[in-house]
């Protein structure tokens, strides 16, 4: 089975948002970098996805003009098999990623990146609905605390647990970086 690591929105833009919190960053980078290094060592494809939207001005951290739509500092360098820029939550909407995956006979996606409950979860659900097998590596996703509509706090850890719960066995196999890399090794000829 041909697998591909998808690194979603692991970009500097997030450091320039008021909700950014670096507490989870070291653990995220350790897991994300383990996946990158494992896929690179296996010669398996790694796809980079950036997010860009909003006004095309330097003050918008998600605009190309800001200079922040670039790899997150601390992310292991890698040669991307392909790079896509998206404007929606799913990396499969309007980017051509779905065409690239099909042309390259990719059967399993390993989803990682920023934010757990937004672009990573949305891409996972979309990919599953389109027929791809998906490994969702929660520890290789990053998110930030939020406030619920009733004003109560929702921690990043709770968001990650909720996302893993609703995805596992329905849209993806939720696994660790180590498990995703073991599955990659098992699928290699």
């Amino acid at each position: 089975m041909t697998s591909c690591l998808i690194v979603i929105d692991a970009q500097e833009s997030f450091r320039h948002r008021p909700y950014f919190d670096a507490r989870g960053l070291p653990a995220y980078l350790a897991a994300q970098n383990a996946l990158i290094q494992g896929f690179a060592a296996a010669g398996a494809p790694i796809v980079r996805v950036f997010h860009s939207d909003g006004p095309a001005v330097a003050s918008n951290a998600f605009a190309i003009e800001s200079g922040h739509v670039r790899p997150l500092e601390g992310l292991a360098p890698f040669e991307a098999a392909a790079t896509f820029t998206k404007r929606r939550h799913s990396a499969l909407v309007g980017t051509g990623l779905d065409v690239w995956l099909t042309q390259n006979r990719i059967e399993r996606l390993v989803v990682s990146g920023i934010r757990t409950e937004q672009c990573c979860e949305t891409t996972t659900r979309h990919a599953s609905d389109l027929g791809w097998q998906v490994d969702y590596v929660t520890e290789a996703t990053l998110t930030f605390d939020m406030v619920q509509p009733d004003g109560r706090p929702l921690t990043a850890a709770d968001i990650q647990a909720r996302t893993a719960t609703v995805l596992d066995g329905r849209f993806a196999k939720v696994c660790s970086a180590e498990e995703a890399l073991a599955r990659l090794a098992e699928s290699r000829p």
Side-chain angles (χ1 to χ4, degrees):
M1 175 170 296
T2 306
S3 298
C4 177
L5 173 62
I6 310 290
V7 181
I8 300 172
D9 302 349
Q11 63 193 65
E12 280 298 309
S13 304
F14 288 100
R15 288 189 205 268
H16 303 276
R17 288 293 195 226
Y19 53 76
F20 180 79
D21 182 341
R23 286 179 295 170
L25 193 57
Y28 159 70
L29 284 171
Q32 181 70 83
N33 289 340
L35 285 175
I36 290 168
Q37 292 161 349
F39 268 72
I46 305 171
V47 168
R48 184 187 310 273
V49 178
F50 288 119
H51 187 89
S52 178
D53 70 7
V57 295
S59 61
N60 171 13
F62 284 90
I64 301 297
E65 292 78 2
S66 71
H68 302 306
V69 181
R70 59 183 167 83
L72 185 68
E73 288 181 29
L75 193 67
F78 63 91
E79 177 99 19
T83 299
F84 298 91
T85 301
K86 64 182 182 56
R87 298 193 180 288
R88 300 283 186 255
H89 290 100
S90 173
L92 295 163
V93 173
T95 61
L97 173 58
D98 55 339
V99 173
W100 186 91
L101 293 168
T102 301
Q103 288 174 340
N104 286 276
R105 295 183 172 87
I106 304 297
E107 299 168 275
R108 177 183 292 133
L109 309 181
V110 177
V111 172
S112 63
I114 307 175
R115 293 182 64 173
T116 304
E117 78 292 354
Q118 291 186 30
C119 298
C120 296
E121 180 179 340
T122 302
T123 299
T124 297
R125 289 172 179 265
H126 193 172
S128 174
D129 283 351
L130 291 174
W132 279 285
Q133 291 185 32
V134 183
D135 287 355
Y136 188 88
V137 185
T138 304
E139 67 184 358
T141 69
L142 180 66
T143 197
F144 312 100
D145 294 348
M146 297 176 76
V147 176
Q148 297 179 70
D150 65 4
R152 290 181 298 144
L154 186 60
T155 68
D158 287 341
I159 294 167
Q160 288 185 315
R162 174 249 167 232
T163 299
T165 300
V166 299
L167 292 179
D168 192 42
R170 295 168 188 88
F171 298 95
K173 175 173 180 41
V174 173
C175 59
S176 67
E178 184 178 335
E179 290 168 328
L181 291 172
R183 287 168 53 91
L184 173 67
E186 292 167 4
S187 70
R188 304 299 289 178

